[in-house]
Amino acid sequence: LIEGMAQTCGILARAVDGFQPVLGAGMLTGVRHARFHAPVSPGCLLLYHAERFSRVGSLFCFRSRISVDDKLIAHAEIVLQIGASTPSTWGGST
């Protein structure tokens, strides 16, 4: 669930900033206030929501939530680092 929230936030970060390739790769750097309200099982249709509430340089902060049939399943604040100082641009081999 956290991975899905992070992916959704990454898509939003790129869409809001014009999907600029210069942003480079992204990295999940923080998860705050995560709460899980109900279990999910295979076959559930998860609806992911994300809202960016802050950006400082390459750090993007989001409020994200997941619902199933209008029922809140989970929510968290997600912090992503997207830009020049993420691992894909550090140089060297991985």
Side-chain angles (χ1 to χ4, degrees):
L1 296 175
I2 295 291
E3 174 68 21
M5 285 192 268
Q7 294 279 345
T8 301
C9 293
I11 291 167
L12 178 61
R14 292 175 184 281
V16 168
D17 289 306
F19 200 81
Q20 301 170 17
V22 73
L23 289 175
M27 180 172 62
L28 177 64
T29 58
V31 177
R32 295 183 273 194
H33 312 294
R35 299 291 182 265
F36 301 91
H37 303 284
V40 294
S41 57
C44 286
L45 179 60
L46 305 177
L47 182 58
Y48 288 87
H49 308 264
E51 169 190 13
R52 187 176 84 181
F53 68 90
S54 177
R55 177 182 180 187
V56 178
S58 63
L59 291 177
F60 292 73
C61 300
F62 300 87
R63 289 183 189 94
S64 184
R65 67 185 191 280
I66 304 168
S67 60
V68 172
D69 296 328
D70 294 325
K71 179 180 178 183
L72 182 64
I73 300 300
H75 70 274
E77 288 184 4
I78 303 292
V79 181
L80 302 177
Q81 183 174 9
I82 303 173
S85 57
T86 55
S88 67
T89 59
W90 286 348
S93 62
T94 54

